[in-house]
Amino acid sequence: MEPSTLMTAHIHFIGEQISLIHIPLAHYADYLQPLLKLLSQHNADDASGADPSVFNNVNNVSWAKMHPFLNISITPIECSVVCSKDLVEEFFAPVVARRNQGLQGDIATISSEEFVVISVEGAGLEAGQRVLDLTSPLAMAGISIFFITTYFSDYILVPSKSHTQVIHALEDRGFQFDKTSSAYINVSSSPHHHRSPSATSASAKLPATPPPTTLPELQSRTLSLLNRLGIIPQVHRSLHLVQCAAASGGEPSSPQDLQLQIGLYKSLVTPPRFLSLTLTETDPASLLLEKAALRNFSSEGVLLGNKGQCLIPITLDLGKLPFDRAGIVCGVAGKLVGGTRGGGEEGEPVEMSYLSTARAGTVMVEQRDLERAVEALRGGEEGLDIV
């Protein structure tokens, strides 16, 4: 049966070439100015000390609406930036070239591969099942992905070279392009509808290792790989995160818009232990940050969200894996959803969200569900060690 998430989803391709940047936490200060410039697209050398309210909006568009897609994430493992290739070349490439001279070990890197972003709207279902449903068709086709859960939507990054293969994977699940909404929608007349893979899809270039044929096989492969490489999930119990969004729709120079920008500057200038910001042209700004950092957003009307609900991050350092890793998100989500179904209140699986960064993955679960999530990841033949 086709997952109900996919039955109701509207899937858009965001038409811009995207690059990923990995910045070691030890080098964060070297990249602070480029990070701040992304939030203003301002080239002043003293951006880190300026009041963001003095920056002019471009073409009367809010700073929060100038990016087709932007994600800045600081986690316990790395700082990661996802933005347009052009902005990477303008703001980051010169700094990377200059700062990396003579350095060895963990250095800042820019992905050699380009990516496209898929926006998934109206998915419904609990968060954990949604992650599993949205990633499994691509993982089963051997397509590597990065997955970002935000307050309003889910975003999937796929290699540009896999664009055609992704479309075929969607079409095999009953999706067609709808010109009215400019989105791929599921037009299956029956929830049991499932096309056989098309000839073009079958002949698409596949990874050297054939993709798994079942979700349990995918999950087993993923967990076996993590165990073999000694990738141990780490629970950060002292980090209490909240998922928020801008209360303002991004009206240029509105008080809420400026207060949000100032709050972000404050949060970034003092290196945060955890922060993830996603900006797009369509949705208000989405934020995942420490509860203690809410004080940087002085007014009650700046951020939406349940600020009393705490999420605990579980991080996986994936630096030992190649950039084109496939199945990690789906495999971990499947382990969590399957391992916690039938427990807790009314047998529901844990609520979870996922944040992919350049070299890491972070699962967020509610504080009340943390022990169930930990036991699920540890359990079974392919259980993971956790610290």
Side-chain angles (χ1 to χ4, degrees), residues 34-322:
L35 290 172
L36 296 180
K37 288 175 183 177
L38 281 180
L39 301 185
S40 62
Q41 293 202 9
H42 188 269
N43 287 302
D45 289 335
D46 62 346
S48 60
D51 180 347
S53 64
V54 305
F55 295 154
N56 293 324
N57 296 302
V58 179
N59 298 325
N60 201 35
V61 176
S62 164
W63 62 273
K65 296 288 188 180
M66 290 192 294
H67 300 273
F69 187 85
L70 168 69
N71 178 267
I72 299 172
S73 292
I74 299 99
T75 74
I77 294 175
E78 65 176 338
C79 173
S80 172
V81 181
V82 181
C83 68
S84 74
K85 179 183 177 182
D86 290 343
L87 290 179
V88 169
E89 292 298 320
E90 180 180 357
F91 292 149
F92 290 92
V95 184
V96 170
R98 186 170 65 250
R99 298 296 189 189
N100 281 359
Q101 288 183 3
L103 293 181
Q104 296 180 344
D106 190 11
I107 59 175
T109 55
I110 299 171
S111 62
S112 58
E113 191 161 25
E114 296 175 6
F115 294 81
V116 293
V117 181
I118 302 171
S119 167
V120 185
E121 301 171 359
L125 288 185
E126 64 273 1
Q129 188 67 48
R130 189 171 71 242
V131 174
L132 181 59
D133 285 357
L134 294 175
T135 59
S136 58
L138 303 181
M140 295 293 288
I143 301 169
S144 61
I145 70 164
F146 293 80
F147 191 95
I148 298 175
T149 305
T150 72
Y151 191 87
F152 295 103
S153 304
D154 296 305
Y155 295 93
I156 302 173
L157 279 68
V158 298
S160 296
K161 66 183 181 184
S162 299
H163 192 163
T164 300
Q165 194 180 352
V166 171
I167 292 174
H168 289 319
L170 293 173
E171 290 173 343
D172 290 342
R173 294 289 178 130
F175 279 84
Q176 289 184 11
F177 185 75
D178 178 61
K179 292 182 179 179
T180 303
S181 60
S182 297
Y184 283 86
I185 61 174
N186 198 308
V187 295
S188 307
S189 58
S190 163
H192 298 280
H193 172 92
H194 191 294
R195 286 174 45 185
S196 297
S198 65
T200 309
S201 176
S203 63
K205 183 178 178 181
L206 297 177
T209 301
T213 57
T214 66
L215 282 176
E217 182 187 354
L218 171 66
Q219 179 180 305
S220 177
R221 280 195 197 183
T222 299
L223 300 177
S224 177
L225 176 64
L226 297 179
N227 278 322
R228 189 167 66 251
L229 295 178
I231 297 173
I232 300 175
Q234 184 171 358
V235 181
H236 300 270
R237 297 177 187 272
S238 66
L239 279 174
H240 294 175
L241 309 180
V242 291
Q243 182 86 63
C244 300
S248 166
E251 293 77 11
S253 300
S254 69
Q256 294 91 343
D257 198 50
L258 294 176
Q259 287 169 8
L260 176 66
Q261 192 177 31
I262 292 170
L264 286 169
Y265 269 60
K266 290 179 179 177
S267 299
L268 290 169
V269 168
T270 302
R273 293 200 301 165
F274 199 110
L275 183 146
S276 182
L277 167 70
T278 302
L279 300 178
T280 70
E281 292 175 329
T282 54
D283 288 337
S286 179
L287 268 170
L288 179 67
L289 74 170
E290 275 196 272
K291 191 172 184 179
L294 291 172
R295 63 176 176 266
N296 291 329
F297 304 87
S298 54
S299 171
E300 282 293 322
V302 176
L303 294 176
L304 300 172
N306 183 355
K307 302 177 183 69
Q309 182 185 69
C310 287
L311 302 174
I312 307 297
I314 304 172
T315 58
L316 296 95
D317 187 339
L318 304 176
K320 296 178 182 178
L321 295 175

Side-chain angles (χ1 to χ4, degrees), residues 294-362:
L294 291 172
R295 63 176 176 266
N296 291 329
F297 304 87
S298 54
S299 171
E300 282 293 322
V302 176
L303 294 176
L304 300 172
N306 183 355
K307 302 177 183 69
Q309 182 185 69
C310 287
L311 302 174
I312 307 297
I314 304 172
T315 58
L316 296 95
D317 187 339
L318 304 176
K320 296 178 182 178
L321 295 175
F323 240 44
D324 61 351
R325 59 191 181 260
I328 301 298
V329 180
C330 184
V332 173
K335 179 70 170 171
L336 273 174
V337 172
T340 58
R341 195 182 300 278
E345 296 180 6
E346 300 180 358
E348 292 297 324
V350 297
E351 287 283 320
M352 64 158 282
S353 53
Y354 198 95
L355 172 66
S356 293
T357 52
R359 292 191 181 178
T362 302

